[in-house]
Amino acid sequence: MAKKEVAFIGAIDQGTTSTRFIIYDQDTKCIGSHQVEFTQFYPEAGWVEHNPLEILESVKICMAKAMDKATADGHNVDGKLEKEFSGGRTHFVDTCGLPISTYFSALKILWLLENVDAVKQAVKTGDALFGTIDTWLIWNLTGGINGGLHVTDVSNASRTMLMNIKTLDWDKATLEALKISPGILPKIVSNSEVIGKIEKGWPITGIPIAGCLGDQHAAMVGQACRKGEAKSTYGTGAFILLNTGEEIVKSKHGLLTTLAYKLGPNAPTNYALEGSIAIAGAAVQWLRDSLGIIKSAKEIEELALKVESAGGVYFVPAFNGLFAPWWRDDARGVCIGITRFTNRSHIARAVLESMCFQVKDVLDSMHKDASQKDGKQKGGEFLLRVDGGATVNNLLMQIQADLLGSPVVRPADIETTALGAAYAAGLAIGVWKEGEIFASGGTSKTDTTFRPNLEESLRKKKLESWGKAVERTFDLADLSI
């Protein structure tokens, strides 16, 4: 029997001791519900407290269970937009390289048009403009309502789900399908060209705005990543990009196809495969703030160095599911291999290893998608370029090299995002030429190189054990609270 297509409304009934989520159809009939109780704490007489994270998790569980019940009864309560297109979630991948997701701008525009009357009316009268944060900044820097420029660059435009990554222009078919007016969209420019100049009202005026890139794209330029070369940025999460040159590579392993950079209006377009890791440095914050194992983030290196290994402990930080390359919303964090021998140093080291294992998983997927062996430089070696705040941890970088089985290169200045933007701007106004930016191959004498010193047999065993640990995280979203 075919599932009944229904419009539905979900209601959260948040009580003092329980959460309930109810799904109603268009006739206000309940088609699914679920309730979860949570804990009240009484730290002192007359005090009552709740754990906000526990409440949040209870809402998530109630939603999932209520959806399951409605689906079991034959109702279709899946995302409506995905159902409207023949390709489902991947309907626009061939043009924009991205799956349908509320993370990207297109669905945010749709929501505004459907739910905010002022926006809807402004679009009709021609008084509304759309842009990403770079658009907003440039518009204001160049005059705002007094002649400000309405532009964005190819890398930021590639994150809207509206730009055709082949033509580097707004995709007409996509706009028509989503009923978005092209008149509200900014002009798309390259990453390196003189866009305009800073007008009066700012600390500096008359200075040309000549470089504009998305965060991770700028880091790629700052790291001078060419075809076959990859970089990983370590922050709260981690972002790994592999430059695929002028070739658009479609991912079959859960990665995004995106632009790397276009350094000039007439310059070739470099593309990339991108994988995002949700929890990297955030796991260290969890050790500090939630468990109190460390008092500051920098203490984790000293603590982890007190042991030579994690002692068979594997930690998978799937706090809110797993991102690339697993994409499992039902995953939850696990820490396995614990014995009476385990102490907090083993846990600390396992947390550091978890970041590096995840980066290794993403890189492996990239190489499979790119149908090539690791990018080759320096006499045949693959060098993973790294940046971001967490890279000051020498132990973390050494573990990364050990698990990759290849060198990790950390630049003297780890703030490569700002450097990439500076490169792009300087290139546009003739401060240097593109060949000079990439001449060093992204490395210099002031860089620090971490070389693997883990035996290959042990590396393989650790990777196999990590794979087992990851599998243990699946299908845990419905664990009782």
Side-chain angles (χ1 to χ4, degrees):
M1 181 178 71
K3 291 184 178 180
K4 292 170 279 187
E5 293 286 343
V6 297
F8 78 97
I9 297 174
I12 300 174
D13 180 6
Q14 189 65 66
T16 56
T17 60
S18 66
T19 296
R20 189 180 182 208
F21 186 76
I22 310 160
I23 301 176
Y24 299 95
D25 66 10
Q26 61 265 50
D27 297 319
T28 67
K29 177 184 177 182
C30 174
I31 60 176
S33 69
H34 192 75
Q35 181 171 317
V36 168
E37 294 186 356
F38 49 81
T39 309
Q40 286 184 303
F41 300 95
Y42 304 93
E44 292 183 24
W47 288 31
V48 180
E49 296 180 353
H50 296 93
N51 183 336
L53 296 179
E54 184 181 5
I55 294 175
L56 197 63
E57 188 65 17
S58 71
V59 173
K60 186 179 296 184
I61 291 172
C62 286
M63 285 181 173
K65 289 291 186 180
M67 296 279 279
D68 288 344
K69 291 175 182 177
T71 302
D73 289 336
H75 300 288
N76 190 341
V77 291
D78 291 333
K80 293 305 166 190
L81 185 61
E82 294 179 20
K83 298 298 179 181
E84 293 179 13
F85 301 105
S86 59
R89 186 169 183 264
T90 61
H91 184 82
F92 300 104
V93 165
D94 284 346
T95 54
C96 71
L98 305 174
I100 293 175
S101 171
T102 54
Y103 182 80
F104 306 116
S105 305
L107 268 62
K108 293 180 172 67
I109 297 174
L110 288 183
W111 187 91
L112 288 170
L113 292 173
E114 293 174 357
N115 294 277
V116 182
D117 290 337
V119 172
K120 189 187 307 182
Q121 184 61 29
V123 171
K124 289 181 179 179
T125 59
D127 293 325
L129 296 175
F130 161 80
T132 49
I133 191 65
D134 61 296
T135 307
W136 170 247
L137 292 174
I138 293 173
W139 186 74
N140 280 284
L141 286 168
T142 56
I145 58 174
N146 298 312
L149 300 174
H150 188 218
V151 302
T152 187
D153 72 275
V154 289
S155 60
N156 281 293
S158 73
R159 282 296 190 268
T160 63
M161 216 181 86
L162 298 174
M163 188 189 82
N164 187 310
I165 60 174
K166 298 175 183 177
T167 66
L168 306 186
D169 202 354
W170 302 118
D171 189 69
K172 183 177 180 181
T174 300
L175 296 177
E176 291 177 350
L178 298 178
K179 297 180 175 60
I180 294 176
S181 169
I184 68 173
L185 302 178
K187 175 186 176 182
I188 301 174
V189 299
S190 73
N191 298 125
S192 178
E193 61 180 274
V194 176
I195 299 169
K197 64 178 181 179
I198 299 176
E199 295 295 338
K200 295 179 180 180
W202 296 92
I204 53 175
T205 59
I207 302 298
I209 300 172
C212 184
L213 306 92
D215 190 17
Q216 302 308 318
H217 312 82
M220 286 207 83
V221 175
Q223 293 276 28
C225 287
R226 297 166 297 186
K227 181 177 181 180
E229 299 173 355
K231 71 91 193 171
S232 180
T233 299
Y234 300 75
T236 301
F239 303 89
I240 306 96
L241 278 82
L242 173 70
N243 190 325
T244 60
E246 297 179 49
E247 179 184 4
I248 296 176
V249 177
K250 296 180 182 179
S251 177
K252 297 180 180 179
H253 298 88
L255 306 174
L256 296 180
T257 301
T258 187
L259 268 82
Y261 48 77
K262 180 179 176 64
L263 298 177
N266 300 315
T269 303
N270 274 240
Y271 295 92
L273 286 168
E274 178 177 0
S276 300
I277 295 168
I279 304 295
V284 178
Q285 296 170 354
W286 176 73
L287 284 185
R288 180 193 65 196
D289 302 335
S290 299
L291 299 188
I293 289 180
I294 54 176
K295 294 181 180 180
S296 65
K298 65 180 181 180
E299 289 181 17
I300 191 171
E301 182 175 11
E302 180 182 353
L303 182 60
L305 280 169
K306 292 182 178 180
V307 292
E308 294 183 357
S309 72
V313 175
Y314 288 81
F315 173 70
V316 186
F319 294 160
N320 295 299
L322 288 171
F323 281 14
W326 306 99
W327 297 110
R328 294 290 298 247
D329 291 336
D330 62 342
R332 291 296 178 269
V334 302
C335 188
I336 64 174
I338 298 173
T339 66
R340 184 64 183 82
F341 171 72
T342 304
N343 61 41
R344 65 194 192 110
S345 291
H346 295 113
I347 301 296
R349 195 169 185 116
V351 166
L352 294 181
E353 288 186 350
S354 72
M355 302 185 212
C356 303
F357 278 123
Q358 292 180 93
V359 171
K360 165 68 174 172
D361 288 340
V362 170
L363 283 170
D364 284 348
S365 295
M366 286 179 169
H367 299 141
K368 292 175 184 176
D369 279 331
S371 300
Q372 63 181 34
K373 183 57 179 171
D374 301 341
K376 301 294 183 180
Q377 320 107 56
K378 296 287 183 181
E381 285 185 320
F382 168 70
L383 305 177
L384 175 65
R385 294 158 167 77
V386 298
D387 55 73
T391 60
V392 299
N393 188 319
N394 290 329
L395 177 59
L396 176 67
M397 296 295 94
Q398 185 58 54
I399 292 173
Q400 188 68 84
D402 287 341
L403 294 180
L404 288 177
S406 56
V408 168
V409 180
R410 180 182 65 198
D413 181 1
I414 60 175
E415 299 301 330
T416 58
T417 298
L419 179 61
Y423 276 158
L427 180 64
I429 60 175
V431 173
W432 44 63
K433 297 180 179 179
E434 185 171 334
E436 295 173 326
I437 296 174
F438 292 93
S440 66
T443 61
S444 70
K445 294 180 180 179
T446 58
D447 295 344
T448 303
T449 300
F450 299 85
R451 296 190 173 277
N453 55 26
L454 191 67
E455 292 183 5
E456 182 65 16
S457 59
L458 179 56
R459 186 175 74 90
K460 289 182 178 179
K461 288 180 180 179
K462 289 177 72 69
L463 292 172
E464 289 174 0
S465 296
W466 166 255
K468 292 179 181 179
V470 171
E471 291 177 0
R472 301 298 193 277
T473 69
F474 299 162
D475 196 27
L476 297 181
D478 59 350
L479 291 176
S480 297
I481 294 178

